[in-house]
Structure formats: C-alpha cells, structure tokens
Amino acid sequence: MTTLSVGEMYGTHPEGIAALLEVSGASTMALSFREDRAFAALSVGRFGAVGSTRLDWSGAEVFERSDAFDADELRRLTASYAGVDELAVVFWSNLAVPSVALAAAAVADHAEAVLECSPECWIYLTDSDVLIEFQDGEGFTAGRVPH
C-alpha cells in the first residue's frame, strides 16, 4: 500500500473548482502546492484548530460572526473588509482541491461559485490581513490574522 504525501495529494482534484474557474476565467489562478503553503503560513496556518476543519479564533481579533451562510453574505463581508484591487486566496477543507488566487472583487462577483466548491472555505485578504471563514450551515467569521 502506497501512502501519498500531502504534497502529492494536493491539487489532484481540480474538478472541485472547475465551475469557479469557468465563471471567473483568467482572473483566477489555481495555486501550486508551494504557493498554497506560502499563503497558508501567512493566514490559516497562524490559527489553531478546533476539530478537523474549524479554526480556533480565541486570541484573534474577530470583527464579526454571521449566522448567514449564503453568497449575499460572502459578498457583503468581502466588500466590508477587502481593499480596492486586493488579492484574495481561497483555501478549501480538502487539499486535493487546489487553492485559488483571484481579486477580492471576483470573490464577491462569483460568491455562489466560491461557496459551491466546498462546505468549508477560508478567504484570505492579503493586503488587509483579514481572514473570512465559511462553515456551511453555520455561517461566517471574519477577523484579523494573528501575528
């Protein structure tokens, strides 16, 4: 039995983001494993975990929590916290689906497609140093990445 490393498993199921890539076009880039890990080290990697897919926000500056878990709420949060022309990196709960980088405005424009990729995701706003966590059925948390 051969066991794959995380790096070998990463991005093996790009079909998970196919609909997002189709609607967003050339403005969205699937990240390599190295790029994913570099952005993760600046964002989701700075949080502890609660269970297998939730971040531990204790000790972090939380701006807001929302029980809404739809595209309209993701659009609102992105508009509230992203700067003009800001880059966003979207991580999924399954490393077999490659993370993507795109303009934060494109996250808002294609919020439905973003949320359809996975039941959990994290949107890192690179200039604002803000992370938005999405848990399907539970809602969103937005806050500052701890340093």
Side-chain angles (χ1 to χ4, degrees):
M1 175 180 220
T2 304
T3 303
L4 296 175
S5 71
V6 173
E8 292 169 323
M9 281 183 9
Y10 176 82
T12 57
H13 292 284
E15 66 274 9
I17 58 170
L20 174 61
L21 293 175
E22 185 175 321
V23 297
S24 61
S27 68
T28 302
M29 180 179 81
L31 300 180
S32 70
F33 180 67
R34 181 173 288 169
E35 292 164 333
D36 170 271
R37 294 297 79 201
F39 280 114
L42 299 171
S43 59
V44 294
R46 295 193 175 176
F47 290 85
V50 175
S52 61
T53 63
R54 287 176 179 74
L55 297 180
D56 181 358
W57 287 87
S58 61
E61 180 183 2
V62 174
F63 300 137
E64 64 180 291
R65 295 181 193 273
S66 170
D67 292 337
F69 51 94
D70 60 12
D72 287 337
E73 186 66 354
L74 178 54
R75 273 190 277 282
R76 184 189 71 75
L77 289 167
T78 304
S80 295
Y81 297 106
V84 176
D85 298 325
E86 184 160 3
L87 178 69
V89 175
V90 184
F91 302 94
W92 320 106
S93 58
N94 183 348
L95 284 174
V97 178
S99 298
V100 295
L102 67 164
V107 170
D109 290 345
H110 306 295
E112 289 88 356
V114 169
L115 297 181
E116 287 174 8
C117 291
S118 174
E120 303 93 15
C121 68
W122 298 267
I123 297 102
Y124 173 48
L125 304 174
T126 61
D127 295 338
S128 303
D129 209 24
V130 169
L131 190 70
I132 300 169
E133 179 178 37
F134 169 70
Q135 297 285 330
D136 191 20
E138 295 180 26
F140 293 92
T141 303
R144 178 91 45 224
V145 173
H147 291 279

